[in-house]
Amino acid sequence: MDEKISIIVPVYNAEKTLYKCVESLVLQKYKNIEIILINDKSTDNSNKICEELADEYDFIKYIINEKNMGVSATRNRGLNNATGEYIVFVDSDDWVDYNYCEDLLSELKKNDVELVISGFWYHNDIKGLPPQKNIFGKEESIDIKSKNDVVELYSKWHFSALWNKIFIREIIEKNKIRFDENISIGEDMRFGIDYVNCMDKDKIVVINKSLYHYIHINPNSLWYKHMNQIEISIDSMEYLFNILDDDAKRDKNNIHLYNKNLLYSYLNYFDFIIKNKDLDNKTKKDKIDEILASNNYKACVNNCEFEDNEAKFKSMCLSKDYNSWIKIKRQYILKENIYNKLVKTKNFINKVKGRLNREKNNKVIKKASSKLKNDNFSIISQNCTGGVFYHDMGMKFLSPTINLHFKAGDFIKFVNNIENYLSQELDMRYGEFYPVGNLGDIEIYFNHYNTCEESIEKWNERKKRIKFDKLAVIMTDRDGFNQEIFDEFKKIKYPKLLFTGNENYKFEDSIYYDEFREEGSIGDILSNKKFYKDERLIDLVNKL
């Protein structure tokens, strides 16, 4: 595969996320790419970041709009300047997996199709929730779908956005497909619909891997600002449904999915109305009553299939007026408020516990610190234990193994040939959630770093500080640790210490924790400072 992929990235006030986004594209496994950054008159530091990136990489094109034109017009400018055989779209808030371009293009060519869709990770950074994986089918498999499956794809969040797809530019140009600059929501899906309608082959490949990281970071996004545009939402759903052939339009599942998604558009609009502080109560009531009485809304509800556990939800949707609707809605709001209060209470209790635990930990740290007689040594640590120790002791990091971890086998290789590995340059990429670096044949997981650039900078800065004449190695029996690695660990020439919960690994240079015996390996010894047990770590570094 040597065809070029054009990656179109609209940029507007993205200074906090832009570098990571572009870095994840620059470091793609697939190398024949051009990145087109189009700045829609940002008022923050985005312009400077774009200029620096374009100066550094000759495959980055940088375009600045003369005035703020909106995302549709901005993407159209990107299309007009693209030269690749294939097109992907990436939002400047987000970032992509190392295999994003390669996997999309590989499946497109291997299956001889004109559209490939991937799964994605959803990161709700507003609420701080754990990332959610969104795939269509069985993980690591592919699904073959057709134009008649677009409503199903949409219902599983696979058709509404652009960024999890690869398009063939020839189809786009031949059919003059562009974004509708007159609408501000749903333009992504309409572009996809127009493209599917122009495909010669009625086959769509869905990759059940999460190759894209969608970051929900902005509470004031267009989705929230324009929820009053219910007509556009309805038109977009009808636009989607019209892809289907006559038989598919009569399919009960398609009818149900279409109407259920349309119903959610109505309900989101109702939420927008009741939360709108610019409307008085009578206006809110009139607007919702008007829709509840409309034949289109009634048909939508009647064509939905509700699950057995959705009885109350169904009765709310079947409400004949605002008063009956808001009565049930308030029950949902009350339930949500109770839940939020319980969460707040739980968080408060956890804060109190955390404060008490910190006070307890501070006593442990103070005691350990009083025993420390050496402040000029390097700890080479398999994981965060070494970095936490340096931090607790208030010391400068005299080691590069900070805020990262190795698999057990790679760590042993690194320690036994440390000067050779440190002489090599890190080869970085983005892993599933954080940067990953290679030093020759070993991998390092920089799980507490935001970008690859930061990982390299800190690694190179700290490796210069290593005191090879005062060096200790610490390791845990996790991340692939086994008997063979244990035998190798015992041969390490430097002073060393193994933290273990396995009786088989007890020896003169290990600390055994009986409370983890059932698990067979060490558990959490950082948050409760258990790694200071028996003062063995302090004794180790004092002897260096």
Side-chain angles (χ1 to χ4, degrees):
M1 299 186 298
D2 58 358
E3 298 94 336
K4 185 192 293 183
I5 299 176
S6 296
I7 305 172
I8 295 173
V9 185
V11 177
Y12 182 70
N13 288 356
E15 64 178 3
K16 294 180 180 179
T17 58
L18 179 58
Y19 187 88
K20 181 172 183 176
C21 170
V22 178
E23 187 182 53
S24 74
L25 300 173
V26 167
L27 297 175
Q28 283 291 288
K29 184 177 181 181
Y30 190 82
K31 297 302 182 186
N32 193 10
I33 62 173
E34 67 173 1
I35 301 169
I36 306 173
L37 305 176
I38 314 101
N39 185 354
D40 194 23
K41 293 298 283 185
S42 296
T43 58
D44 65 356
N45 203 36
S46 295
N47 178 64
K48 181 182 178 183
I49 297 170
C50 288
E51 286 181 339
E52 290 174 352
L53 287 165
D55 287 342
E56 185 173 357
Y57 301 102
D58 58 8
F59 54 89
I60 293 181
K61 293 181 180 179
Y62 181 39
I63 301 166
I64 306 176
N65 291 341
E66 293 181 0
K67 61 179 182 178
N68 181 264
M69 300 169 66
V71 69
S72 293
T74 300
R75 286 186 178 131
N76 284 339
R77 286 202 75 184
L79 287 171
N80 294 339
N81 284 274
T83 62
E85 287 84 0
Y86 303 97
I87 300 286
V88 299
F89 296 93
V90 172
D91 288 350
S92 58
D93 289 343
D94 307 333
W95 57 280
V96 302
D97 186 90
Y98 174 62
N99 296 300
Y100 172 70
C101 287
E102 178 162 289
D103 283 2
L104 287 171
L105 181 56
S106 174
E107 293 296 342
L108 185 135
K109 294 176 73 67
K110 183 168 67 176
N111 293 282
D112 190 26
V113 295
E114 295 167 331
L115 179 64
V116 175
I117 303 173
S118 81
F120 60 94
W121 286 99
Y122 172 69
H123 300 254
N124 191 329
D125 283 6
I126 296 174
K127 294 186 177 181
L129 299 175
Q132 294 178 313
K133 180 182 286 189
N134 191 309
I135 55 175
F136 184 80
K138 184 179 178 182
E139 192 160 6
E140 297 295 325
S141 68
I142 67 165
D143 284 294
I144 305 295
K145 311 303 286 186
S146 74
K147 297 177 183 179
N148 285 326
D149 295 311
V150 292
V151 174
E152 182 188 11
L153 288 165
Y154 178 86
S155 72
K156 293 191 175 183
W157 301 95
H158 273 58
F159 202 81
S160 53
L162 291 168
W163 31 252
N164 60 337
K165 301 172 179 65
I166 188 169
F167 303 92
I168 298 174
R169 190 166 72 91
E170 184 180 4
I171 294 175
I172 294 172
E173 296 307 315
K174 179 182 177 182
N175 296 282
K176 298 180 172 57
I177 302 172
R178 288 296 186 271
F179 292 90
D180 187 340
E181 299 179 14
N182 296 313
I183 63 173
S184 52
I185 57 171
E187 74 287 345
D188 302 40
M189 184 172 73
R190 291 192 181 210
F191 181 93
I193 294 168
D194 290 339
Y195 182 88
V196 168
N197 272 328
C198 295
M199 289 181 352
D200 293 325
K201 300 167 185 174
D202 186 17
K203 192 162 78 167
I204 300 169
V205 165
V206 183
I207 306 174
N208 290 305
K209 290 167 65 175
S210 297
L211 298 175
Y212 192 93
H213 290 260
Y214 171 70
I215 316 298
H216 187 179
I217 195 171
N218 183 6
N220 299 313
S221 66
L222 287 174
W223 192 87
Y224 291 95
K225 289 181 180 177
H226 297 282
M227 278 315 301
N228 58 327
Q229 298 188 30
I230 185 63
E231 296 84 5
I232 296 177
S233 296
I234 294 171
D235 287 347
S236 294
M237 284 304 302
E238 291 177 350
Y239 206 59
L240 176 72
F241 195 70
N242 285 331
I243 293 183
L244 310 182
D245 62 28
D246 291 340
D247 287 340
K249 286 177 181 176
R250 290 190 289 268
D251 180 83
K252 288 184 178 180
N253 189 54
N254 279 333
I255 292 171
H256 158 65
L257 291 174
Y258 165 75
N259 284 284
K260 199 70 176 279
N261 283 297
L262 186 58
L263 177 61
Y264 287 131
S265 293
Y266 278 117
L267 296 179
N268 284 330
Y269 178 54
F270 292 168
D271 279 345
F272 175 85
I273 291 172
I274 63 175
K275 292 175 182 176
N276 193 329
K277 295 179 182 179
D278 296 329
L279 300 177
D280 58 41
N281 289 334
K282 183 179 183 308
T283 304
K284 292 178 181 181
K285 178 180 182 303
D286 290 345
K287 281 180 174 290
I288 292 178
D289 275 343
E290 182 182 357
I291 292 178
L292 291 174
S294 69
N295 290 330
N296 287 338
Y297 176 79
K298 291 177 181 178
C300 171
V301 176
N302 290 331
N303 282 308
C304 285
E305 295 178 10
F306 295 90
E307 303 292 334
D308 292 340
N309 61 357
E310 293 183 310
K312 186 170 285 189
F313 176 66
K314 180 180 180 181
S315 63
M316 181 176 72
C317 296
L318 288 169
S319 300
K320 299 189 184 304
D321 57 37
Y322 172 81
N323 289 332
S324 58
W325 182 86
I326 196 67
K327 182 179 179 180
I328 301 175
K329 178 66 179 177
R330 281 172 179 157
Q331 293 176 8
Y332 279 99
I333 294 172
L334 178 62
K335 186 177 179 180
E336 184 179 345
N337 287 340
I338 291 172
Y339 173 78
N340 288 336
K341 286 181 180 178
L342 288 173
V343 170
K344 285 183 179 179
T345 302
K346 184 178 179 181
N347 289 340
F348 175 75
I349 292 171
N350 287 337
K351 281 183 179 179
V352 172
K353 287 181 178 178
R355 190 178 300 118
L356 293 173
N357 194 51
R358 283 194 297 275
E359 290 177 4
K360 181 180 177 182
N361 287 343
N362 286 338
K363 292 179 181 178
V364 175
I365 294 168
K366 187 175 181 181
K367 181 180 178 182
S369 181
S370 68
K371 300 289 181 72
L372 184 67
K373 307 303 180 186
N374 184 4
D375 62 358
N376 188 31
F377 55 86
S378 291
I379 293 179
I380 301 301
S381 178
Q382 180 199 356
N383 49 38
C384 295
T385 310
V388 172
F389 176 74
Y390 275 124
H391 181 269
D392 288 349
M393 297 300 108
M395 290 179 59
K396 189 174 184 179
F397 296 135
L398 302 179
S399 167
T401 58
I402 306 296
N403 294 333
L404 48 80
H405 75 275
F406 299 73
K407 289 182 180 177
D410 282 351
F411 183 69
I412 290 293
K413 286 195 286 187
F414 175 74
V415 170
N416 284 332
N417 201 4
I418 188 168
E419 294 190 58
N420 175 53
Y421 282 113
L422 289 174
S423 69
Q424 301 180 45
E425 294 297 319
L426 275 169
D427 180 19
M428 298 296 301
R429 69 181 190 279
Y430 278 90
E432 192 163 73
F433 293 116
Y434 41 74
V436 177
N438 279 82
L439 285 178
D441 60 344
I442 67 169
E443 284 188 330
I444 307 173
Y445 303 91
F446 291 85
N447 41 308
H448 293 292
Y449 293 87
N450 187 48
T451 66
C452 293
E453 180 187 50
E454 180 190 16
S455 304
I456 293 172
E457 179 185 342
K458 294 298 184 183
W459 177 268
N460 288 338
E461 173 188 325
R462 291 167 179 164
K463 75 178 183 180
K464 296 174 184 176
R465 304 174 186 164
I466 293 181
K467 310 292 182 181
F468 285 101
D469 58 334
K470 296 181 179 181
L471 187 150
V473 174
I474 59 176
M475 191 174 186
T476 59
D477 63 346
R478 294 165 59 175
D479 296 305
F481 195 91
N482 56 32
Q483 183 64 45
E484 182 181 349
I485 292 171
F486 177 55
D487 292 339
E488 291 299 315
F489 178 82
K490 290 189 288 186
K491 298 175 187 176
I492 291 174
K493 64 181 180 180
Y494 302 105
K496 55 191 176 291
L497 194 57
L498 173 69
F499 299 94
T500 181
N502 191 320
E503 288 183 302
N504 295 323
Y505 303 143
K506 290 168 68 174
F507 82 121
E508 60 183 3
D509 291 327
S510 67
I511 304 179
Y512 172 67
Y513 296 79
D514 189 64
E515 61 264 43
F516 300 118
R517 181 179 57 210
E518 289 187 10
E519 290 90 336
S521 63
I522 202 76
D524 178 19
I525 58 173
L526 295 182
S527 61
N528 47 27
K529 305 300 177 182
K530 287 187 177 182
F531 62 93
Y532 290 115
K533 179 182 176 181
D534 300 333
E535 300 177 0
R536 292 281 301 283
L537 181 55
I538 295 291
D539 290 342
L540 179 75
V541 297
N542 278 340
K543 292 176 183 177
L544 294 176

